[in-house]
Amino acid sequence: MNRLTILLGILGFGLVMLIYNHDSGRTFGLGNDEFGRLVMLTSLAALFGAGILAGRRHFGESMRQAGIWILIILVLMVGYLYRYDLQSVTDRLTAGLIPGRAVVTTGADGAQILVIHKMEGGHFETSASIDGMPVRMLVDTGASSVVLSYADAERLGLDPQNLTYNISVATANGQAFAAPVRLDEIAIGPIVRRNVRAMVADRGRLDQSLLGMTFLETLGSIEITRDELRLRD
């Protein structure tokens, strides 16, 4: 029991220190990854030492217990050391189960990349935050501007019935007129743009709001693959 207490103490102390120093990235002068490996090796050494000491009377049982604890420690340490990779896998899985959910990944250069998965209809659609309110939007590189549907403009409090619809635009429903507006903020995940030029389509002319070039042209890059749209801030 005393040996088990010592082992749990080593493991618990190591995990607490890693969590406490997560933001700083260092523990006792070592990088958190290096410190995690040290805790793992120390725990393994304690297990093997306990097994050797108890080996004369209960060798088989000692080895079985040692194996169980080694497995537990390995799972915990691997989970911590590869936490970012596991988070990325979780985000991608969630994006696959929830179409349109934007996922933040990290590129080879350390920059954040927003990934949007293709919908069943072949379009890229995501949930944006406009002036603090969620709006489902179709990503449209062919649209020269962000275009809000009449219904979304009403929800956002833009008072579309009193706007001036004097801009001719082409929509999926044919030629239409739209009114110019300014949006205080558009955000998709960590990408935030303020004071964005946009338009509101006349009533009944647009079924879904479009995330057009007045937002997209401010990004560092836009990459479209077969199933993914990758936006770099």
Side-chain angles (χ1 to χ4, degrees), residues 100-114:
R101 183 181 185 274
V103 176
V104 180
T105 63
T106 303
D109 58 355
Q112 286 188 327
I113 300 174
L114 198 68

Side-chain angles (χ1 to χ4, degrees), residues 119 123-127 135-140 147-152 171 173 201 205-211:
M119 303 288 289
H123 302 292
F124 293 103
E125 181 183 324
T126 189
S127 179
V135 177
R136 296 293 297 181
M137 305 191 78
L138 189 69
V139 181
D140 188 353
V147 185
L148 298 177
S149 68
Y150 194 95
D152 284 340
T171 71
N173 296 328
R205 304 304 299 181
L206 190 65
D207 296 328
Q208 186 174 22
S209 296
L210 306 177
L211 189 67

Side-chain angles (χ1 to χ4, degrees), residues 128-135 152 155-157:
S129 173
I130 300 180
D131 297 345
M133 293 188 63
V135 177
D152 284 340
R155 288 199 308 110
L156 292 170

